[in-house]
Amino acid sequence: MRIVNACLVAFLSSRSSLASAFGGAKLSRRAFSVRCGSTTMATADVASTADAVKLDDVSESYKELLGKLNTITQLNRCASVLGYDQQVFMPKNGESAAERGQQMAALSGVVHNMKTDKALLSLIEKAEADLVAHGGDFEDEARLLAMERKDFLKNERIPTELASRASAHQAKAQQSWQVARASSDFSAFESDLSECYSIAKEMAECKRAPDDDIYSTMLDEFETSMPKARIDELFGEIKESLVPLITKVLDSENKPDKSCLTGAFPADKQAVIANKLVKAIGYDADFGRIDVSTHPFTSSSSTKDVRITSRFTDGTWREGIIATLHEGGHAIYEQNHPPSPYQIDSALSLGAHESQSLFWERHVSLSKAFWRYATPMMKETFGEGFDYSPEDVYRAVNAVSPSFIRVEADELTYPLHVILRYQIESDIVMGDLKVKDIPQRWNADMKRMLGVDVENDAQGCLQDMHWSALAIGYFPTYLIGAATAAQLEHFCRKDFPNFDELVEKGEFLPLREWLTEKIHKHGSRYESLDDMLEAELGEKLNPKYFINYLTSKYSDLYGL
């Protein structure tokens, strides 16, 4: 789905801006490990145990805090399972959605009350005092406390009634979105979508700092410490470079033959291939499952239960197989976090998350080397009807053709899909566009930016579920992730000059371990994606790697 979405409610209720609130504590790159079951210390909160290595060994307050945070996480994981069930298994009707909405609202209310209980803040403050009093090397613990303090202060501003209302409306809106999408009728969703924006703005206004604009506050929920001004800078550079490149590509007469993408390719055989490939790159299906849904997504309720979905269409295989590998990248990230229930061991941001899915989708599975590895498997499964060379397949899967649908777009035009959504939702939030005018604006921008005429709402503004999930500010993370993935590939190739040889042989473990070392194991120890990239790669997010990657690849592919 290009979104970790079934647990989105849990994500929204558990994320903080992650900006350090604890005296600028140095961030540790060590794996974080805590022991909730540590032996209870004697009477005092702070014990003078010379050989203690964890704050919970010397602070009863910190140990009690960990217990409460663990309970909150487990309840959020329950919400994740309920969300996954709604998207994959639950009956598709309004009555069922309403019942699920009540369940999610009740759970959300309980979690919100726990996260805004003054006793939680008291434990944070006491643990902070214990940390200072004891001294020692408690870098991870300091980071966790900083995150939880910031998170508490933000959540405290959200009334319980609003949190429950948001959860209930999300379930209602997702159902009405599905109905509207099926009938291609925006008017059937307009009222609920207006309420989605209203609730999202109400929640952001509660959290907004005096000097922040409301849209940057929304963005911060998904991409911490990446305000609108920084995104405008990144996206402006990307758009300026890609628009003329796309024009040259579309004008080229050296177009790939796409005939190998369609034919007698049954959906069930596509699923067999997709499952083999996603396991080959490193998804551990023993600790997850692979299902089919309307919109592909990944859901994680712990490192030991990470599920992915995809969708397959008889006769055309690219979308289903590539989407499965994309979701596999998300899942590998989730499965390789340090196994704890605390925020410090969760994904840093959704841009970081998307970088992992796009690393595997674009820089591995859309490469020449990958199709030298995978084409024999395709021939074996599809039979004589798939009589194509690896070069044929490589050129076909990378063909550029402006598309109505974001998730089906090629990687060259995909950034413009994201920028279009970013600009529309930003204008709505800032009061420059009305919800009722979305279809007209959408269709006009698609024509202007990609040269396509949108025929109906299902192909246009109803294709994504994000807004129905109150995920306003989410879309930019896709392009942030794409740029990050290209930067990661650049530095990975520096460490592995035999990158292509490894991929061609199906030896993906070294690449996966490299990503774990650079990204996975750090969880949320860094305050932002820029900080993590600067520490691990030597520079902040730099769109030049993304631009250079696309320019080089498509100039070669189209003979520019």
Side-chain angles (χ1 to χ4, degrees):
M1 163 176 199
R2 331 287 166 124
I3 178 173
V4 184
N5 141 159
C7 54
L8 191 54
V9 173
F11 181 91
L12 287 170
S13 66
S14 67
R15 298 305 293 172
S16 71
S17 72
L18 313 190
S20 176
F22 197 76
K26 178 184 176 183
L27 301 186
S28 168
R29 301 180 192 175
R30 297 183 279 110
F32 178 70
S33 174
V34 295
R35 294 174 290 170
C36 290
S38 298
T39 303
T40 302
M41 306 306 291
T43 53
D45 267 2
V46 180
S48 57
T49 307
D51 60 349
V53 293
K54 296 297 174 188
L55 186 58
D56 54 317
D57 288 328
V58 297
S59 171
E60 285 296 322
S61 295
Y62 187 70
K63 182 162 63 174
E64 185 178 349
L65 174 66
L66 293 180
K68 289 182 178 294
L69 294 177
N70 178 59
T71 298
I72 290 169
T73 294
Q74 302 312 327
L75 291 173
N76 279 330
R77 289 172 173 178
C78 291
S80 173
V81 175
L82 287 174
Y84 189 87
D85 176 74
Q86 181 176 3
Q87 294 298 319
V88 179
F89 301 118
M90 200 180 81
K92 306 299 182 186
N93 62 72
E95 290 82 0
S96 297
E99 290 290 335
R100 181 52 48 88
Q102 292 184 47
Q103 296 159 15
M104 296 291 282
L107 188 54
S108 175
V110 170
V111 170
H112 183 73
N113 286 337
M114 293 181 67
K115 289 186 71 67
T116 56
D117 184 353
K118 293 290 187 182
L120 194 69
L121 180 60
S122 178
L123 288 173
I124 293 170
E125 291 173 341
K126 289 177 181 178
E128 289 172 341
D130 290 349
L131 186 149
V132 172
H134 185 78
D137 183 20
F138 295 132
E139 293 174 347
D140 282 341
E141 290 87 339
R143 174 62 174 158
L144 184 148
L145 289 170
M147 294 174 67
E148 293 302 334
R149 169 180 279 278
K150 185 70 174 181
D151 200 20
F152 180 89
L153 295 177
K154 289 177 68 176
N155 280 296
E156 185 183 36
R157 302 186 188 116
I158 303 295
T160 301
E161 179 277 331
L162 176 57
S164 297
R165 176 157 49 93
S167 183
H169 186 70
Q170 179 187 4
K172 179 175 183 288
Q174 287 183 348
Q175 176 64 26
S176 68
W177 165 74
Q178 290 176 346
V179 171
R181 184 174 183 266
S183 60
S184 191
D185 180 10
F186 179 79
S187 65
F189 182 48
E190 181 184 331
S191 176
D192 281 332
L193 180 58
S194 294
E195 183 66 9
C196 286
Y197 269 95
S198 177
I199 291 173
K201 290 173 68 175
E202 188 177 352
M203 296 181 76
E205 194 60 50
C206 290
K207 298 177 180 181
R208 185 171 67 89
D211 295 333
D212 292 343
D213 65 79
I214 191 169
Y215 187 56
S216 289
T217 301
M218 292 176 168
L219 292 169
D220 195 66
E221 292 294 328
F222 306 103
E223 195 58 48
T224 180
S225 301
M226 186 79 74
K228 184 176 184 297
R230 170 73 165 133
I231 295 176
D232 286 342
E233 172 191 341
L234 294 168
F235 286 10
E237 186 173 345
I238 291 170
K239 183 179 179 181
E240 182 180 0
S241 298
L242 292 194
V243 168
L245 176 61
I246 291 170
T247 299
K248 290 178 182 178
V249 165
L250 295 179
D251 289 342
S252 171
E253 296 182 359
N254 187 28
K255 292 179 169 54
D257 180 356
K258 298 191 290 182
S259 59
C260 70
L261 301 181
T262 56
F265 308 135
D268 58 343
K269 290 187 176 181
Q270 295 176 37
V272 169
I273 295 169
N275 291 1
K276 286 181 179 178
L277 291 175
V278 77
K279 292 174 185 176
I281 66 171
Y283 173 62
D284 190 344
D286 289 337
F287 295 97
R289 57 180 293 129
I290 306 173
D291 290 303
V292 173
S293 66
T294 302
H295 203 119
F297 66 93
T298 300
S299 173
S300 172
S301 56
S302 77
T303 59
K304 305 306 179 187
D305 184 2
V306 183
R307 310 176 187 189
I308 64 177
T309 74
S310 191
R311 62 184 178 196
F312 303 96
T313 304
D314 282 327
T316 177
W317 60 264
R318 186 192 186 280
E319 178 190 352
I321 290 176
I322 299 300
T324 305
L325 289 162
H326 177 100
E327 299 308 328
H330 281 305
I332 290 168
Y333 186 23
E334 290 291 325
Q335 289 183 329
N336 284 279
H337 289 320
S340 90
Y342 307 108
Q343 284 196 62
I344 194 169
D345 286 316
S346 62
L348 171 63
S349 69
L350 292 182
H353 227 307
E354 192 68 8
S355 76
Q356 301 309 288
S357 60
L358 292 177
F359 181 94
W360 290 105
E361 176 195 343
R362 296 182 178 177
H363 300 281
V364 175
S365 71
L366 292 183
S367 69
K368 289 182 180 180
F370 184 82
W371 291 108
R372 288 194 287 267
Y373 161 73
T375 299
M377 186 187 303
M378 304 278 282
K379 290 183 176 182
E380 179 183 358
T381 306
F382 287 143
E384 295 180 357
F386 197 84
D387 187 20
Y388 301 98
S389 70
E391 180 70 18
D392 293 335
V393 180
Y394 165 74
R395 289 181 58 81
V397 297
N398 286 289
V400 175
S401 179
S403 168
F404 300 111
I405 308 300
R406 176 184 61 85
V407 299
E408 297 174 5
D410 57 83
E411 65 176 337
L412 185 58
T413 59
Y414 186 86
L416 299 186
H417 285 267
V418 175
I419 292 171
L420 177 150
R421 289 155 173 79
Y422 168 67
Q423 292 174 340
I424 286 177
E425 68 178 21
S426 173
D427 284 351
I428 293 173
V429 171
M430 303 304 288
D432 298 324
L433 180 68
K434 295 180 180 179
V435 168
K436 68 180 181 64
D437 295 326
I438 288 177
Q440 180 180 357
R441 166 69 177 276
W442 185 290
N443 297 349
D445 283 0
M446 286 291 290
K447 179 66 174 179
R448 177 175 55 84
M449 296 173 71
L450 290 169
V452 298
D453 294 304
V454 178
E455 298 177 2
N456 56 63
D457 292 339
Q459 289 182 332
C461 60
L462 290 178
Q463 64 186 267
D464 299 300
M465 71 179 299
H466 301 58
W467 291 338
S468 72
L470 308 186
I472 297 161
Y474 193 125
F475 280 119
T477 67
Y478 291 131
L479 188 46
I480 292 168
T484 302
Q487 191 162 334
L488 287 169
E489 186 223 15
H490 173 84
F491 284 95
C492 186
R493 285 183 178 275
K494 278 190 168 184
D495 289 342
F496 292 102
N498 63 335
F499 185 103
D500 290 328
E501 181 182 347
L502 291 171
V503 172
E504 184 174 349
K505 291 180 178 179
E507 296 176 2
F508 302 109
L509 180 60
L511 307 183
R512 193 166 71 250
E513 289 179 337
W514 187 89
L515 290 172
T516 296
E517 182 67 24
K518 298 295 184 182
I519 305 293
H520 304 164
K521 77 174 188 179
H522 301 297
S524 290
R525 282 162 181 76
Y526 293 104
E527 293 187 27
S528 69
L529 181 60
D530 274 338
D531 287 347
M532 180 166 66
L533 293 177
E534 187 170 31
E536 298 301 323
L537 303 182
E539 63 179 306
K540 296 179 180 180
L541 180 58
N542 187 339
K544 76 174 184 179
Y545 297 107
F546 182 54
I547 294 166
N548 291 345
Y549 158 73
L550 291 175
T551 301
S552 174
K553 178 176 180 176
Y554 287 92
S555 293
D556 175 70
L557 190 64
Y558 278 82
L560 302 183

